[in-house]
């Protein structure tokens, strides 16, 4: 079964059979005998078919509970009508006049319709705000037109005539029930979560309304009421109800994976068709009141004006639907880009609380979709980066846009480096927020840090190298003295010769750890190359530097465990003190002092055990 624009595109056997029955009813009711008995027999059969179709809709897979409840109510209501029409059929076959409807039949039909109406009135309307208001206004417009038709063709004639009280009561009850049923159908047809789609809903509404007004309308149009035509006008609208149910079943089974309630609602033309029908009814009623030429002229003007307004409104609907389709395509295009973009877009208010975030922001922060709205961005920034944030806001206020790299907290407890570009659009009436465009640069930052560490540190010991040592000297406070220690190991060559270079590397690592322990946070320890080390001591006078040099010489001279042995190496230390601007001079003087200390040392050279 293929579906195009909500209408079955391939012929269905049940629909074909119902259509063929409608065609054959015309010659049958016009020329065949025994039409009264056939009317109620066929009516009961149509009711039973409708019950079966409603039950099949109730059993369609993936039907939501509201739709399932509606179709069950339709099956119950039509079952009550089937009992009523079967009872009327038995009366007619027993000699009761076909045109006189039993009060029992009317009561059962009304009871069944009450079940359906209550269910439809309890069905959730969906939508909110102005959309809900529009739905109610559309429903009220169509309901008013239906009420006018019921009054004109059915109720007014019975109430103003000399007929039986039972006929008046039946007409009033039928009109009230049909009005309620029509209202409920229209409400569901216009709602955002109707259990039926547009075409089946329109056809079903026409069928329900037609059962009340078709026969009186036919009587009005005919000069002499022919029972055959009246019976035909009463039965034909009833066939529209099972036709609409079968169409909905085909659509449901074809589109079972897409709930009806999620379909997009387009502008409904039905309220405007109701207005046009009411205007035509007004013109139709004028001959009966003996209207003169003036009244006819006014009526023609009203009819033409209404037609022009309706045509203009239809043109506006066409433009609106085309615009909405274009907006929908653009939204889908933008949504696809935002969903798969590596960059993140976040909008926050003046208090830095998130008011919008693109889908990639969910991945950046590790939140579930929808949990990011209202998040305090300030609370997710690394505390050490708050000065950077303050500077970022200052530059945004001055230039409107600024960029920085910040660490943002992920839900896994880790901080991700993010390159952020902030734009202040608080004064923009369409945005009224701060727009943040960010990209996760954690891996790039990690690689940069690793490369920077490799460029400024010794690979074996992890100490600073000569380049970083010079930077630390130049970065020291220029108003306070800086001391530099140069350390050279004594007896290190014998360790390499006797125990191998692997043991020598172990000695260098152990020495580096001991010097780092002595210096702690008071300075920078560096390996200049080979077995030569250096220490920069900011804000340190010569006496304190000399004391630290003696401590280093003593600590380094303690035995060191290497693979399969213990070795002892000495440390010759030279000191120099000056200002940061004298970095090169201090390194030369410390180096000279170190060589003098080495020449003066005795023992502990190449001592092994």
């Amino acid at each position: 079964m293929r579906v195009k624009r909500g209408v079955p595109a391939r012929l269905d056997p049940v629909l074909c059979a119902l259509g063929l029955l409608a065609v054959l009813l015309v010659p049958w009711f016009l020329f065949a005998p025994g039409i009264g008995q056939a009317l109620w027999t066929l009516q009961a059969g149509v009711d039973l078919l409708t019950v079966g179709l409603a039950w099949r809709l109730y059993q369609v897979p993936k039907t939501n509970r509201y739709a399932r409840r509606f179709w069950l109510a339709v099956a119950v209501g039509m079952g009550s009508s089937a009992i009523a029409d079967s009872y009327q059929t038995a009366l007619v076959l027993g000699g009761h006049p076909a045109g006189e409807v039993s009060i029992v039949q009317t009561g059962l039909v009304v009871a069944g319709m009450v079940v359906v109406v209550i269910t439809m009135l309890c069905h959730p309307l969906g939508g909110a705000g102005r959309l809900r208001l529009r739905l109610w206004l559309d429903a009220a417009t169509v309901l008013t037109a239906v009420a006018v038709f019921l009054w004109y063709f059915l109720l007014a004639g019975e109430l103003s005539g000399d007929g039986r009280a039972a006929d008046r009561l039946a007409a009033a009850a039928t009109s009230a029930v049909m009005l309620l049923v029509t209202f409920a159908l229209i409400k569901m047809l216009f709602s955002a979560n109707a259990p039926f789609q547009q075409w089946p809903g329109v056809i079903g509404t026409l069928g329900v309304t037609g059962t009340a007004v078709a026969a009186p309308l036919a009587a009005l149009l005919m000069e002499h009421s022919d029972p055959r035509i009246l019976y035909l006008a009463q039965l034909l609208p009833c066939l529209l109800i099972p036709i609409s149910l079968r169409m909905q079943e085909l659509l449901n089974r074809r589109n079972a994976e897409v709930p009806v309630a999620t379909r997009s609602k387009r502008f409904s033309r039905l309220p405007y068709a109701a207005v046009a029908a009411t205007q035509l009814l007004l013109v139709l009623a004028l001959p009966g009141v003996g209207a003169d030429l003036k009244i006819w002229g006014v009526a023609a003007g009203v009819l033409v004006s209404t037609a022009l307004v309706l045509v203009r409104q239809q043109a506006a609907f066409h433009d609106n639907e085309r615009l909405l389709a274009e907006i929908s395509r653009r939204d889908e295009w933008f949504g696809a880009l935002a969903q798969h973009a590596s960059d993140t877009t976040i909008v926050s208010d003046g208090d830095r609380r998130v008011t919008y975030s693109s889908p990639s922001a969910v991945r950046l922060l590790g939140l579930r979709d929808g949990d990011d709205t209202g998040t305090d961005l300030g609370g997710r920034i690394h505390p050490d980066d708050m000065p950077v944030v303050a500077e970022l806001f200052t530059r945004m206020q001055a230039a409107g846009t600024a960029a920085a790299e910040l660490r943002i907290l992920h839900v896994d407890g880790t901080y991700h480096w993010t390159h952020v570009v902030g734009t202040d659009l608080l004064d923009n009436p369409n945005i009224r927020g701060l727009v943040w465009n960010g990209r996760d640069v954690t891996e790039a930052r990690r690689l940069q840090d690793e490369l920077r560490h490799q460029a400024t540190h010794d690979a074996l010991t992890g100490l600073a190298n000569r380049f970083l040592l010079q930077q630390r000297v130049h970065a020291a406070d220029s108003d306070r003295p800086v001391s530099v220690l140069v350390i050279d190991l004594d007896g290190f060559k014998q360790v390499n010769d006797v125990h191998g270079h692997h043991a020598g590397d172990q000695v260098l690592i152990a020495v580096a750890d001991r010097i780092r322990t002595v210096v702690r946070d008071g300075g920078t320890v560096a390996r200049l190359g080979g077995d030569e080390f250096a220490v920069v001591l900011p804000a340190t006078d010569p006496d304190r530097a000399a004391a630290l040099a003696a401590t280093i010489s003593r600590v380094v001279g303690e035995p060191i465990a290497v693979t399969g042995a213990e070795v002892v190496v000495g440390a010759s230390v030279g000191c120099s003190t000056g200002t940061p601007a004298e970095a090169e001079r201090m390194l030369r003087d410390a180096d000279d002092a170190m060589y003098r200390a080495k020449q003066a040392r005795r023992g502990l050279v190449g001592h092994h055990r």
Side-chain angles (χ1 to χ4, degrees):
M1 181 68 197
R2 297 176 57 195
V3 177
K4 183 178 181 181
R5 295 190 180 183
V7 181
R10 194 170 64 187
L11 296 179
D12 174 70
V14 177
L15 293 178
C16 290
L18 289 172
L20 181 60
L21 176 61
V23 172
L24 295 177
L25 284 178
V26 176
W28 184 11
F29 271 66
L30 291 179
F31 304 109
I35 298 304
Q37 294 83 352
L39 168 66
W40 292 107
T41 302
L42 288 173
Q43 184 71 63
V46 171
D47 292 340
L48 291 174
L49 175 62
T50 305
V51 171
L53 292 174
W55 183 254
R56 288 172 61 87
L57 282 168
Y58 172 78
Q59 294 178 314
V60 171
K62 298 183 180 180
T63 302
N64 65 60
R65 62 190 184 97
Y66 295 113
R68 190 180 297 275
R69 184 178 66 183
F70 169 74
W71 294 123
L72 179 61
V74 171
V76 172
M78 294 309 300
S80 179
S81 296
I83 296 174
D85 292 336
S86 298
Y87 175 80
Q88 185 68 23
T89 301
L91 291 180
V92 172
L93 293 176
H96 188 82
E100 293 183 9
V101 180
S102 167
I103 191 67
V104 175
Q105 192 270 351
T106 302
L108 288 172
V109 170
V110 170
M113 292 301 100
V114 166
V115 173
V116 179
V117 169
I118 292 176
T119 303
M120 290 191 291
L121 292 177
C122 294
H123 192 87
L125 182 63
R130 296 189 65 85
L131 175 60
R132 182 183 289 269
L133 176 62
R134 194 195 80 191
L135 295 176
W136 279 112
L137 290 175
D138 287 349
T141 302
V142 178
L143 184 66
T144 301
V146 173
V148 171
F149 273 80
L150 287 172
W151 174 263
Y152 186 81
F153 289 111
L154 180 63
L155 193 57
E158 291 291 344
L159 295 179
S160 61
D162 297 329
R164 297 182 308 154
D167 293 337
R168 294 181 181 182
L169 180 60
T174 302
S175 298
V177 171
M178 291 305 170
L179 198 61
L180 283 174
V181 171
T182 303
F183 167 72
L185 278 172
I186 292 170
K187 170 201 166 187
M188 298 183 72
L189 185 63
F190 289 156
S191 69
N193 55 4
F196 43 74
Q197 297 191 17
Q198 187 174 21
W199 278 110
V202 170
I203 294 173
T205 303
L206 292 176
V208 172
T209 306
T211 57
V213 302
L217 178 62
L220 179 68
L221 295 177
M222 291 188 305
E223 198 170 310
H224 298 287
S225 298
D226 187 344
R228 294 175 176 270
I229 296 180
L230 296 181
Y231 293 161
L232 184 63
Q234 178 181 338
L235 184 59
L236 285 178
C238 296
L239 292 175
L240 294 178
I241 300 176
I243 288 175
S244 67
L245 266 60
R246 179 59 178 176
M247 289 178 62
Q248 186 60 52
E249 179 188 354
L250 296 176
L251 292 172
N252 280 5
R253 295 188 183 278
R254 176 65 177 90
N255 302 314
E257 71 280 2
V258 181
V260 176
T262 62
R263 72 184 187 275
S264 60
K265 298 291 291 183
R266 309 181 79 185
F267 293 104
S268 175
R269 270 74 170 180
L270 195 56
Y272 302 94
V275 172
T278 306
Q279 296 289 341
L280 291 174
L281 181 61
L282 176 62
V283 174
L284 185 64
L286 288 178
V289 297
D292 58 14
L293 192 60
K294 290 181 180 181
I295 300 300
W296 277 107
V298 173
V302 170
L303 193 62
V304 172
S305 299
T306 302
L308 292 175
V309 170
L310 292 179
V311 170
R312 178 184 179 279
Q313 193 65 35
Q314 297 310 304
F317 277 157
H318 177 74
D319 293 340
N320 287 339
E321 289 179 346
R322 185 175 59 183
L323 178 60
L324 289 176
E326 180 64 24
I327 292 175
S328 178
R329 285 193 295 269
R330 289 183 177 273
D331 286 346
E332 184 177 356
W333 178 78
F334 174 77
L337 292 182
Q339 178 71 36
H340 302 289
S342 58
D343 287 2
T344 292
T345 299
I346 295 177
V347 181
S348 66
D349 56 19
D351 296 328
R352 294 182 294 187
R353 292 195 174 277
V354 176
T355 58
Y356 166 80
S357 63
S358 62
S360 54
V362 176
R363 298 195 300 269
L364 176 65
L365 301 177
L367 301 174
R368 291 177 299 177
D369 191 12
D371 287 353
D372 48 348
T373 301
T375 298
D376 181 9
L377 288 179
R380 308 192 74 86
I381 305 298
H382 194 286
D384 294 343
D385 291 340
M386 295 309 295
V388 180
V389 173
E391 181 185 356
L392 179 64
F393 273 101
T394 300
R395 288 187 284 124
M396 286 173 59
Q397 292 175 354
T401 300
E405 286 192 359
L406 306 169
R407 283 165 289 184
I408 299 180
L409 181 64
H410 194 273
V411 293
D412 62 5
T414 63
Y415 283 92
H416 288 209
W417 278 102
T418 306
H419 179 78
V420 176
V421 178
T423 304
D424 187 352
L425 295 178
L426 288 170
D427 295 332
N428 187 322
N430 296 320
I431 305 296
R432 296 193 183 279
L434 303 174
V435 180
W436 307 96
N437 294 306
R439 172 178 296 180
D440 192 327
V441 294
T442 302
E443 292 300 325
R445 186 72 181 231
R446 184 181 294 114
L447 179 59
Q448 291 177 2
D449 292 343
E450 183 178 347
L451 293 176
R452 186 180 299 110
H453 185 273
Q454 292 176 358
T456 56
H457 289 76
D458 175 58
L460 177 63
T461 63
L463 299 178
N465 59 15
R466 182 182 294 272
F467 174 74
L468 182 57
L469 182 77
Q470 292 175 337
Q471 284 187 326
R472 296 292 171 83
V473 174
H474 290 299
D477 189 352
S478 60
D479 295 331
R480 306 188 66 179
V482 178
S483 294
V484 176
L485 309 181
V486 174
I487 306 161
D488 188 79
L489 300 184
D490 301 325
F492 180 72
K493 182 176 181 302
Q494 287 85 341
V495 174
N496 279 334
D497 292 343
V498 175
H499 298 282
H501 289 283
H502 177 68
D505 290 344
Q506 290 180 301
V507 169
L508 292 176
I509 294 173
V511 169
D513 291 339
R514 292 178 180 183
I515 297 175
R516 188 187 292 114
T517 301
V518 172
V519 175
R520 298 182 183 275
D521 296 331
T524 300
V525 182
R527 181 187 177 199
L528 302 181
D531 59 350
E532 190 173 9
F533 298 84
V535 179
V536 174
L537 301 171
T540 305
D541 55 32
D543 293 339
R544 185 165 177 268
L548 192 62
T551 302
I552 291 175
S553 180
R554 177 178 55 81
V555 170
V556 171
E558 295 176 357
I560 300 173
V562 296
T563 304
E566 271 191 348
V567 299
V568 177
V569 294
S572 299
V573 184
C575 304
S576 178
T577 302
T579 64
E582 301 175 305
E584 294 297 331
R585 193 269 304 169
M586 285 190 293
L587 280 173
R588 289 195 304 268
D589 291 350
D591 195 57
D592 292 341
M594 180 270 296
Y595 275 110
R596 290 194 300 272
K598 182 179 286 290
Q599 292 173 0
R601 284 180 59 81
R602 298 288 190 270
L604 294 181
V605 177
H607 178 64
H608 314 282
R609 60 183 180 179

